[in-house]
């Protein structure tokens, strides 16, 4: 691991929607991920890494490939050691260490067995024992799973990936291995729509979706170049300069996390959500549920315990564009408000 | 791993779904249930919730197969051997989920590899079918599963036992499970014979009542906030439902069906023109389950009425093709309006039953209103000059003719088209052509000596067998001694996608009499099919003097669809140029992907009139076509768009002949056509 500082999240210029979507997912992992659609070179992966960097450290067992939570998942840990690795059931509680949230990357060429995990063949041949070689989903538990070019991934892999993301559990049923382990992660996918879209069904599994573009104003572009140059020149000094803001943001995220369970929504606002989803024509109910969660998280992020109408409007822009009912061969919607206006105009 | 599941009693709405699931759970003879519906409609939630309500069953202790200790039950070989000396346990029937990544050996069961090595005996490791015995087997996205796995499951579910005869194992165990499948029809259909294997089928949609949607959100939030408390709140209701389910199961054998009601069932099935007799049997069993659930000993007409839709939904076939819908009045319908309102399969189903003369919608002012009667004369009312142009390619085309744009005509379900099977190993996903595959997916067909980490244990053990005595001294502590040279790996087979290269004739002659709309409809249908089979697509159009690559090979079927909608039509027919461009594209693609099997689909009437060189256009194009067909990896298909009439040129057929291509009229492409011909409904 290199100790080179990571570009600070707060120093990123523009791309507010993307930053917001990422922060929302960090505050509330229940939002089931964000899909970032946009061109190359728009700071997508920088933003994800930067955000991971300011998150609070998490406790893990030392050398645990499944990243289990020592506080809540000790039983599972013992079970895995026992059944999968063949160690004594009464194993002592291993040492707990703190470490940063990781950004686990899924390469485009990843095969299914690398993603879900598979039988450790060498071990089986040498020792005649069954041992599971954990896959990327095990690594991603309690971390951020970053999937670049998710639309270019093998279809089957995407299915498997989103299935685990939705369930929070990875189940392996292959090559004589039958085993499941928790896999709850913040899923961040990126794609360039020019290279083909994801199937609607897969799109629906991503909680939020943002479409980003390169920044158009000259000043901002200059600011980006200047900051980047300063960072490349002396990364540590640059990071130090943004330290205060980063700390403030980290605090804000933590507060939002603790605030979230207390956020209340008034009933009329729930109806607003339901009506919005009905009017723009969304398949199923996942849109409603995610929209409600997003609105609540937005309120929490703002330090409120009461959802406002604006939260719902903002949530709609993040939650609905990729869910608006369409056939496999139609384009994705870009503006929810316009769609809504059109829908209500048609009704009148 | 245990996880908290959302209680069935707390699901908002979806009464029919709940009822269907309960029926399937009460009476396994119903044969499972298939849930079809859009995404996010609580399909999975409800299935998992149902599992929490299943009654306790008595099982043989330690048996992976959950064998029953009752004397006259079928058992797995191990329990058969130990019978009647069996210890028993009581536990809730299980829900076994079949993940999409499941391999054949885990579904049906296979060799327990490490234990076999240690003990020197073939040890059988039971698969998911064994685990699901007497429980629930849940297959999410059953339409996305590999065909051979689906076959396996449905076969076991139908026969009630799982037989394994492969990889050196001969093994049989009972596998009676309640099969629950879910699918989103947008992503591709199940084959009809597989559909029929599911006893019941339900179509699920989200609720459109804001009140219900709000309740749903509230409950979901409450559940997410504190699952334990939420569960406790519904405990009483859940218990009552579980109790009722257990009672109904116990009561089921006493439920009786009167003879005259059997007649009624038969009548219902006959009316819906179902194939075979499974519908009748399933309907009777489902009605009995419903009666049992209500505590009635006698099935009533109402019970049958309630279950009939679930039984018939996926089996109904229309006796008579429905009359074709009247053609939309020209110029009133914006291009995307129509496709907005009708879901794709509905659209397709409608079309497949129709008579082929269905005129496609077209733009006004092009020619007389759509001809509903089949064109019977060769006397076409076309703009001047066109006839000449078709017959005599050397005449210059009238200058300044405007480009025309045509809507996409009606789409339909396409007949299966696939590349020829060979022995080349490929990588890829999709579901079009069967191929040997370089991934750990697909069906294990045989083993080979070649490096890969996909070990074939049976073959490896056989290879090692002769040397065992000689290696007996080695100190690895295993009963079987393996060496590097023994290792055999699996050769697998599965379906993958192809490149579909569409070569579309966009010349003026295609614009006549709405042929272009119909052609576009055909291309669109092929594109939808390509989407479901996960193909790559590319498109070349030729018109005026040249051919253009509109879309280089891409997975974005959407893009192709959009281009198709915007494609202008007009001008002369440079078929030769199209062929040359096609050759270029395919050659480049094959250089990059040497093992690919592109399928080139020509949509043309073959009436070419622009040559590249000095020769006659038709002869030149036939010669070029012959050259294209030289490469055996390329498969060609010609879709002839020429109308049937007194004067036909049959040039597309000649083109097909030159390439040894498969030749279709647009109507022949329809999946329904063959069935219609057999039934004598096709002219």
């Amino acid at each position: 691991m290199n100790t080179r500082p990571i570009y600070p999240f707060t120093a990123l210029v523009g791309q507010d929607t993307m930053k917001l979507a990422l922060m929302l997912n960090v505050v509330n992992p229940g939002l089931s991920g964000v899909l970032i659609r946009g061109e190359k070179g728009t700071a997508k992966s920088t933003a994800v890494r930067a955000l991971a960097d300011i998150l609070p450290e998490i406790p893990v067992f030392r050398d645990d490939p499944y990243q289990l939570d020592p506080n809540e998942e000790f039983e599972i840990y013992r079970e895995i050691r026992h059944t999968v690795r063949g160690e004594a059931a009464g194993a002592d509680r291993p040492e707990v260490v703190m470490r940063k949230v990781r950004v686990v990357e899924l390469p485009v060429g990843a095969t299914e067995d690398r993603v879900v995990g598979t039988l450790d063949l060498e071990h089986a041949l040498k020792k005649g024992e069954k041992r599971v070689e954990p896959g990327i989903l095990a690594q991603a538990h309690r971390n951020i799973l970053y999937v670049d070019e998710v639309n270019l991934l093998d279809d089957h892999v995407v299915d498997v990936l989103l299935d685990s993301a939705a369930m929070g559990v990875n189940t392996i049923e292959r090559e004589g291995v039958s085993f499941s382990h928790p896999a709850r992660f913040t899923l961040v996918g990126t794609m360039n729509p020019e290279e083909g879209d994801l199937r609607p069904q897969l799109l629906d599994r991503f909680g939020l979706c943002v479409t980003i573009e390169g920044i158009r104003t000259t000043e901002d572009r200059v600011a980006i170049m200047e900051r980047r140059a300063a960072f490349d020149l002396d990364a540590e000094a640059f990071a130090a300069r943004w330290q205060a803001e980063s700390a403030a943001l980290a605090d804000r995220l933590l507060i939002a996390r603790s605030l979230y369970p207390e956020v209340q929504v008034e009933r009329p606002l729930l109806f607003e959500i339901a009506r919005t989803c009905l009017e723009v024509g969304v398949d199923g109910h996942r849109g409603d549920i995610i929209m409600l969660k997003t609105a609540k998280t937005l309120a929490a992020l703002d330090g409120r315990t009461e959802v406002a109408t604006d939260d719902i409007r903002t949530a709609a822009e993040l939650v609905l564009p990729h869910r608006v009912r369409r056939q496999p061969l139609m384009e994705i919607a870009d503006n929810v408000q316009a769609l809504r206006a059109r829908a209500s105009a048609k009704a009148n | 791993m245990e996880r908290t599941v959302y209680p069935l009693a707390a699901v908002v709405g979806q009464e029919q779904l709940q009822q269907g699931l309960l029926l399937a759970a009460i009476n396994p003879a119903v044969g499972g249930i298939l849930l079809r519906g859009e995404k996010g409609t609580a399909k999975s939630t409800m299935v998992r919730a149902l599992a929490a309500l299943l009654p306790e069953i008595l099982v043989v202790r330690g048996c992976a197969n959950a064998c029953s200790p009752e004397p006259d039950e079928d058992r797995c070989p191990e329990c058969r051997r130990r019978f009647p000396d069996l210890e028993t346990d009581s536990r809730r029937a299980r829900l076994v989920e079949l993940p999409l990544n499941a391999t054949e050996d885990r579904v049906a069961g296979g060799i327990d590899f490490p234990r076999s090595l240690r003990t020197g005996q073939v040890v059988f490791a039971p698969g998911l079918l064994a685990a699901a015995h007497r429980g629930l087997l849940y297959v999410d996205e059953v339409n996305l599963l590999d065909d051979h796995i689906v076959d396996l499951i449905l076969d076991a579910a139908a026969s009630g036992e799982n037989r394994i005869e492969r990889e050196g194992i001969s093994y049989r165990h009972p596998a009676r499970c309640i099969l629950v499948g879910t699918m989103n029809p947008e992503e591709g259909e199940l084959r009809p014979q597989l559909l029929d294997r599911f006893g019941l089928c339900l179509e699920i949609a989200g609720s459109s009542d804001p009140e219900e949607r709000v309740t749903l959100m509230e409950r979901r939030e409450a559940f997410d906030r504190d699952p334990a408390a939420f569960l406790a709140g519904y405990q009483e209701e859940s218990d009552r439902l579980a109790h009722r389910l257990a009672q109904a199961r116990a009561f089921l054998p006493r439920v009786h069906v009167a003879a005259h009601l059997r007649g009624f069932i038969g009548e219902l099935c006959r009316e819906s023109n179902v194939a075979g007799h499974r519908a009748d049997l399933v309907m009777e069993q489902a009605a009995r389950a419903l009666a049992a659930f209500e505590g009635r000993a006698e099935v009533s007409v109402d019970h049958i009425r309630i279950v009939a839709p679930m039984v018939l939904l996926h089996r109904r076939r229309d006796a008579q093709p429905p009359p074709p819908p009247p053609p939309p009045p020209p110029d009133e319908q914006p291009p995307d309006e129509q496709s907005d309102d009708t879901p794709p399969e509905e659209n397709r189903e409608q079309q497949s039953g129709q008579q082929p003369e269905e005129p496609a919608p077209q733009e006004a002012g092009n020619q007389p209103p759509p001809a509903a009667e089949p064109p019977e004369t060769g006397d076409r009312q076309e703009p001047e000059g066109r006839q000449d142009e078709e017959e005599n390619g050397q005449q210059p085309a009238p200058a300044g003719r405007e480009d025309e744009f045509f809507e996409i005509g009606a789409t339909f379900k396409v007949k299966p088209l696939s590349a020829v099977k060979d022995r080349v190993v490929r990588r890829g996903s999709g579901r079009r052509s069967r191929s040997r595959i370089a991934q750990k997916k697909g069906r294990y067909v045989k083993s080979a000596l070649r490096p890969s980490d996909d070990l074939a244990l049976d073959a490896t053990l056989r290879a090692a067998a002769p040397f065992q005595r000689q290696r007996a001294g080695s100190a690895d502590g295993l009963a079987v001694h393996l060496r590097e040279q023994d290792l055999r790996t699996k050769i697998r087979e599965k379906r993958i996608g192809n490149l579909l290269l569409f070569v579309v004739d966009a010349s003026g002659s295609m614009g006549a009499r709405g042929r272009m709309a119909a052609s576009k409809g055909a291309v669109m249908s092929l594109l939808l099919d390509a989407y479901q089979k996960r193909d790559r697509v590319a498109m070349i159009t030729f018109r005026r003097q040249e051919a253009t690559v509109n879309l280089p090979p891409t997975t974005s079927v959407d893009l192709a669809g959009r281009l198709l909608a915007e494609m202008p039509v007009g001008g002369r027919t440079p078929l030769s140029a199209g062929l040359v461009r096609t050759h270029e594209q395919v050659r480049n693609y094959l250089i990059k992907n040497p093992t690919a099997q592109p399928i080139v689909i020509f949509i043309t009437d073959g009436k070419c009139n622009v040559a590249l060189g000095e020769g006659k256009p038709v002869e030149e194009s036939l010669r070029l076509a012959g050259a294209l067909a030289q490469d055996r990896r390329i498969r060609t298909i010609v879709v002839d768009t020429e109308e049937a009439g007194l004067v036909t040129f049959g040039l597309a057929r000649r083109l097909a002949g030159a390439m040894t291509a498969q030749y279709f009229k647009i109507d022949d492409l329809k999946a329904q056509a063959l069935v219609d011909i057999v039934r004598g409904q096709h002219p």
Side-chain angles (χ1 to χ4, degrees), chain A residues 30 76 79 109 111-113 116 118-119 121 124-131 151-157 159-160 163 167-178 180-182 184 193-202 204-205 260-265 267 269-275 277-278 282-289 291-293 296 322-323 325-332 346, chain B residues 1 3 14 38-43 48 97-103 105-106 111-115 117-118 125 128 140-141 144-146 183-184 186-187 205-218 220-221 224-225 337-344 347 427-431 439-441 452-455 460 476 478 482 487 492 494 524 527-528 531 534 554-559 561-562:
Chain A
I76 301 172
E79 200 182 305
T111 55
E112 201 180 312
D113 47 334
V116 298
T118 185
L119 184 73
L121 203 67
L125 277 184
K126 284 199 183 127
K127 298 272 165 65
E129 279 166 19
K130 202 179 277 188
R131 193 168 78 183
N151 52 336
L152 298 188
L153 223 58
D154 192 14
D155 231 62
H156 226 67
V157 175
D159 278 334
V160 170
D163 209 40
M167 309 271 306
V169 176
N170 175 34
T171 308
I172 310 170
E173 289 291 353
R174 50 184 301 127
E175 288 144 17
V177 180
S178 172
S180 63
H181 65 81
R184 288 189 309 277
E194 282 167 22
E195 312 236 357
D197 240 317
L198 273 179
R199 291 183 284 129
Q201 188 162 23
L202 300 184
D204 188 50
R205 297 282 187 88
Y260 178 76
E262 290 162 41
V263 177
Q264 299 296 320
V265 194
R267 222 153 184 265
L269 290 181
L270 290 181
F271 274 96
E272 174 68 16
I273 293 176
R275 267 199 306 275
C277 287
L278 280 173
V282 175
D283 273 344
H285 296 272
R286 205 173 272 133
D288 302 47
I289 292 168
M291 201 162 140
L292 172 59
K293 284 187 200 294
K296 283 175 69 181
H322 59 301
R323 292 208 162 79
R325 186 175 297 130
R326 60 197 193 105
Q327 287 170 21
L329 299 188
M330 282 166 61
E331 256 185 288
I332 208 162
K346 212 186 270 177
Chain B
M1 254 184 65
R3 51 184 169 229
Q14 309 291 20
E38 48 189 44
K39 42 214 176 275
T41 37
K43 297 187 292 269
R48 297 201 177 106
E97 278 186 51
L98 188 92
L100 278 179
N101 64 39
T103 51
D105 61 315
R106 278 305 304 145
I111 301 178
D112 186 330
F113 181 42
R115 270 177 67 199
L117 277 189
R118 262 204 316 271
L128 294 172
D140 200 7
E141 316 268 16
L144 297 187
L145 220 57
D146 277 343
M183 62 179 277
N184 180 348
E186 267 176 24
E187 302 294 324
S207 160
S208 54
D209 174 18
E211 190 84 38
E212 255 185 35
R213 292 184 88 110
V214 167
T215 318
L216 192 142
M217 278 187 271
E218 284 174 336
R220 184 76 221 185
E221 273 302 293
D224 283 347
R225 197 177 307 135
E337 186 79 316
Q338 187 185 15
S339 47
D340 244 342
D341 295 338
T342 31
N347 209 347
R427 302 186 75 84
S429 59
R431 35 188 66 231
Q439 291 139 293
K440 281 198 207 175
K441 263 193 298 196
S452 111
D453 58 353
D454 194 5
L455 204 73
T460 305
D476 51 13
L478 302 178
L482 296 184
L487 301 187
R492 293 174 186 266
K494 96 180 253 307
M524 199 60 181
L527 282 174
L528 281 164
Y531 170 79
R534 317 279 185 254
T554 170
T555 48
S556 180
V557 176
D558 316 44
L559 224 52
R562 233 170 296 151

Side-chain angles (χ1 to χ4, degrees), chain A residues 125, chain B residues 116-121 457-487:
Chain A
L125 277 184
Chain B
S116 301
L117 277 189
R118 262 204 316 271
T119 60
Q121 285 173 345
L457 182 72
D458 56 331
T460 305
L461 288 177
R462 271 197 297 275
F467 306 106
Q468 292 307 305
R469 190 182 293 266
Q470 184 182 327
R471 295 171 186 166
S474 72
D476 51 13
L478 302 178
V480 183
H481 310 285
L482 296 184
R483 295 290 178 272
E484 197 75 32
Q485 68 266 24
D486 304 332
L487 301 187

Side-chain angles (χ1 to χ4, degrees), chain B residues 15 27 41 82 87 142 182 190 208 283 289 298 362 462 473 499 608 623 645 650 679:
Chain B
E15 286 82 8
N27 189 357
T41 37
R82 284 178 16 208
E87 285 179 76
V142 60
T182 61
L190 271 181
S208 54
M283 202 185 291
E298 192 72 42
Q362 48 187 290
R462 271 197 297 275
L499 169 71
C608 62
R623 207 178 61 244
R679 287 206 209 135

Side-chain angles (χ1 to χ4, degrees), chain B residues 22 26 36 140 187 226 228 331 383 431 485 500 566 574 611 651:
Chain B
L22 286 171
I26 290 167
R36 290 161 54 102
D140 200 7
E187 302 294 324
D226 188 351
D331 235 0
R431 35 188 66 231
Q485 68 266 24
L500 299 192
E566 293 158 5
L651 287 169

